[in-house]
Amino acid sequence: MNRPSTSPDRSGPVTPRGQRTRAKLLKAAESVFGEKGYERASIADITRKGGVALGTFYVYFPDKQSIFVEVVDDLGTRLRRLIADSTSKCDNRIDVEREGLRTFFQFVRQHPNLYRVVRQAEFVDADCYRRYYDRFAKGYVTGLSRAMEEGEVRRMDPEALAYCLMGIGDFLGMRWVLWEEDPGLDRVLDTAMGLIRHGLDTRPAPPPGRNTLKPSKAAVKAAPSRAAPSKTAKKNTLRPARRPGRSARS
């Protein structure tokens, strides 16, 4: 489909009653789009689910695509805000990552249609789909860059790192919350944090830009010199010495 976004009125309804009605429509649309899919869902399904008159829908949204875009944007906004609130009191970046993952898992439990709705956006409105991840990554990059400046995270490309970490959370949430819910998730969190903290390599990470395949000239110069073995030493290492009183062939 991929039609241009039909952006809804971001000012929103003025009255508390109007705000409640709009919120009911968004909640109902999230459920209907998740259960039926965008193509099969209808505006009548959404209003019926939300307990709102069919004509009232058009007071807040011009068409089905506009409410779908708003659902995706709203889910992203609420998720980012929830993670920001839950990690605001963390003392270091590693704690931020763990608490952020835990909060994301909780959000997926509360919004089981999150994955289906967001992934449909790729085909319903490509701009909306990319915006969901771009906005998430933007905040992530800011936090990671700050952690690198403070020496809490090794210096590397912060945007690439942000998408790596987002990918970890996305697939773990799909596997252990959406597919097969694990009420504890501590084992999954411990494994994820072990990877994030230490990586896969058992060796210490080299400084950025260092060629690990060839030692530097300084390292070669500083290394203790090893004298070449003498001919006698070479001879002794190749064959055993004769025992007294016995011939070499005995």
Side-chain angles (χ1 to χ4, degrees):
M1 184 168 292
N2 281 331
R3 291 182 295 165
S5 296
T6 53
S7 300
D9 181 6
R10 298 293 179 179
S11 61
V14 176
T15 66
R17 180 180 179 181
Q19 292 172 350
R20 289 194 298 270
T21 301
R22 194 171 192 276
K24 285 198 294 185
L25 285 168
L26 287 172
K27 184 177 181 181
E30 177 187 338
S31 177
V32 171
F33 287 135
E35 293 169 4
K36 288 194 169 186
Y38 180 83
E39 294 297 335
R40 293 179 56 226
S42 69
I43 292 174
D45 292 329
I46 294 170
T47 55
R48 191 180 306 114
K49 183 82 172 179
V52 177
L54 181 61
T56 303
F57 175 92
Y58 296 98
V59 174
Y60 302 96
F61 303 98
D63 52 31
K64 184 172 73 168
Q65 184 179 1
S66 65
I67 193 172
F68 178 86
V69 169
E70 180 69 2
V71 166
V72 176
D73 285 344
D74 183 62
L75 283 169
T77 298
R78 283 190 286 161
L79 175 57
R80 294 192 306 273
R81 184 182 299 127
L82 190 63
I83 291 176
D85 290 344
S86 68
T87 59
S88 60
K89 296 182 180 179
C90 293
D91 294 329
N92 57 73
R93 190 66 208 182
I94 295 300
D95 289 346
V96 168
E97 293 301 327
R98 186 181 186 94
E99 185 59 30
L101 275 175
R102 188 186 300 278
T103 302
F104 174 69
F105 295 157
Q106 291 172 350
F107 191 85
V108 174
R109 280 200 188 108
Q110 295 165 4
H111 300 272
N113 292 309
L114 173 70
Y115 281 87
R116 288 198 68 192
V117 170
V118 171
R119 285 173 182 168
Q120 289 176 76
E122 181 180 7
F123 308 101
V124 176
D125 191 307
D127 291 339
C128 170
Y129 179 70
R130 178 167 179 170
R131 183 168 62 243
Y132 175 87
Y133 290 104
D134 280 348
R135 287 176 174 174
F136 205 99
K138 183 177 180 181
Y140 223 144
V141 168
T142 300
L144 290 171
S145 297
R146 186 183 304 117
M148 291 177 192
E149 291 294 333
E150 295 173 356
E152 294 182 346
V153 174
R154 181 162 55 90
R155 285 192 177 275
M156 56 189 94
D157 184 330
E159 185 177 12
L161 179 59
Y163 274 91
C164 287
L165 295 171
M166 287 163 57
I168 289 174
D170 188 54
F171 275 87
L172 291 180
M174 181 173 64
R175 169 63 180 85
W176 274 282
V177 180
L178 192 64
W179 291 356
E180 182 182 341
E181 184 170 347
D182 185 327
L185 282 176
D186 287 335
R187 170 180 56 85
V188 177
L189 277 170
D190 288 344
T191 300
M193 292 313 302
L195 173 63
I196 291 170
R197 184 189 292 268
H198 303 294
L200 295 175
D201 200 337
T202 58
R203 299 167 296 177
R210 177 65 60 82
N211 185 346
T212 58
L213 298 179
K214 182 179 179 180
S216 65
K217 293 181 179 179
V220 173
K221 186 176 181 180
S225 60
R226 296 180 180 177
S230 65
K231 293 182 179 180
T232 305
K234 284 185 178 180
K235 184 177 181 180
N236 289 339
T237 58
L238 294 176
R239 63 183 183 183
R242 295 182 182 179
R243 292 184 182 181
R246 299 182 63 182
S247 66
R249 296 183 179 180
S250 61

